[in-house]
Amino acid sequence: MLDYKGIHYENYPEVYEPAEDTFLLIDNLQVGRRDRVLEIGTGTGIIAIIVSRKCSTVIATDINPQAIDCTAKNIIANKAYNVELRKGELFEPVQGEKFDLILFNTPYLPTSEAERVDDELDAAWDGGEDGRKVIDRFLSDVKDHLNPGGRVQLVQSSLSDINKTIEKLEDMGMDASVTAREKCFFEEVVVITGVMANSS
């Protein structure tokens, strides 16, 4: 069992292990007591569990069945019973639903065909040739799932065009900016926060 800020969690070999980008998001969450929260790509569930202590309900999703398994164990170990788990890709498991806060530690690494390993872990970091394969798909649907005044917080890298993400959020009518950043090796990892206007 690993431990972070009082959360005890297990990790599976096939599941993305919480790292600097995970902790950067945790330390910069903008979550309210009454929020209905969606976390996409929950991995071990550590973010969903921490968020569940600060809000009313969390829906956590992942495309990786091993991650769903791992998160289920961690939810029980931490008695995070206001977290609901659903398997699926991006917004597929929450069709027609809206949230006050949507969280996503995106697969943001630019990845060539030769670098792909084609296993369950691949989905956690493979961002395609320009690092934006999943980010852009996420952004194209995110507005449909936000309540008026809702927020989105996503993690990405300087390698996958931070300004493009901010511009896309602003084009949707959001107030968007980098709200946290951390230097890691050959890149900078950032949290981008977008806030919807209150009128729908």
Side-chain angles (χ1 to χ4, degrees):
M1 269 284 191
L2 301 160
D3 185 273
Y4 181 75
K5 294 195 171 179
I7 306 291
H8 304 289
Y9 67 98
E10 273 187 60
N11 195 45
Y12 289 15
E14 308 88 345
V15 177
Y16 183 74
E17 186 171 350
E20 290 94 341
D21 50 2
T22 317
F23 304 130
L24 187 66
L25 181 54
I26 287 170
D27 291 342
N28 292 280
L29 289 165
Q30 295 185 12
V31 56
R33 177 57 56 197
R34 295 182 179 174
D35 282 351
R36 184 167 190 256
V37 179
L38 169 65
E39 188 201 4
I40 291 175
T42 195
T44 59
I46 184 171
I47 291 173
I49 291 163
I50 285 174
V51 169
S52 76
R53 297 181 172 183
K54 302 169 186 261
C55 71
S56 67
T57 54
V58 182
I59 291 178
T61 72
D62 208 294
I63 194 171
N64 177 354
Q66 300 290 333
I68 295 291
D69 239 33
C70 182
T71 296
K73 282 192 175 174
N74 291 333
I75 285 170
I76 292 163
N78 291 280
K79 300 183 171 62
Y81 299 126
N82 58 337
V83 180
E84 182 187 332
L85 263 179
R86 299 184 192 174
K87 182 180 179 298
E89 187 179 23
L90 293 175
F91 294 102
E92 281 173 3
V94 292
Q95 287 299 316
E97 295 181 59
K98 289 184 184 273
F99 300 88
D100 303 300
L101 174 63
I102 296 175
L103 304 170
F104 190 19
N105 185 357
T106 67
Y108 52 69
L109 285 181
T111 310
S112 68
E113 284 293 341
E115 292 171 303
R116 291 201 180 102
V117 289
D118 221 19
D119 66 7
E120 301 287 11
L121 252 180
D122 211 42
W125 51 265
D126 177 4
E129 294 289 337
D130 61 356
R132 299 197 58 88
K133 177 178 74 174
V134 182
I135 292 171
D136 286 337
R137 286 178 58 213
F138 169 80
L139 291 172
S140 68
D141 291 332
V142 71
K143 188 179 177 184
D144 296 338
H145 294 278
L146 279 172
N147 286 322
R151 284 106 50 227
V152 57
Q153 291 194 281
L154 62 103
V155 179
Q156 77 165 81
S157 159
S158 54
L159 301 175
S160 47
D161 199 341
I162 292 163
N163 287 337
K164 187 171 182 182
T165 300
I166 290 173
E167 281 165 21
K168 281 180 177 259
L169 291 169
E170 286 174 342
D171 287 347
M172 295 173 209
M174 288 195 204
D175 182 14
S177 61
V178 172
T179 49
R181 55 179 78 230
E182 187 169 326
K183 279 261 182 246
C184 299
F185 306 116
F186 48 84
E187 62 180 329
E188 187 172 48
V189 174
V190 301
V191 176
I192 297 170
T193 302
V195 183
M196 288 288 288
N198 263 312
S199 56
S200 48

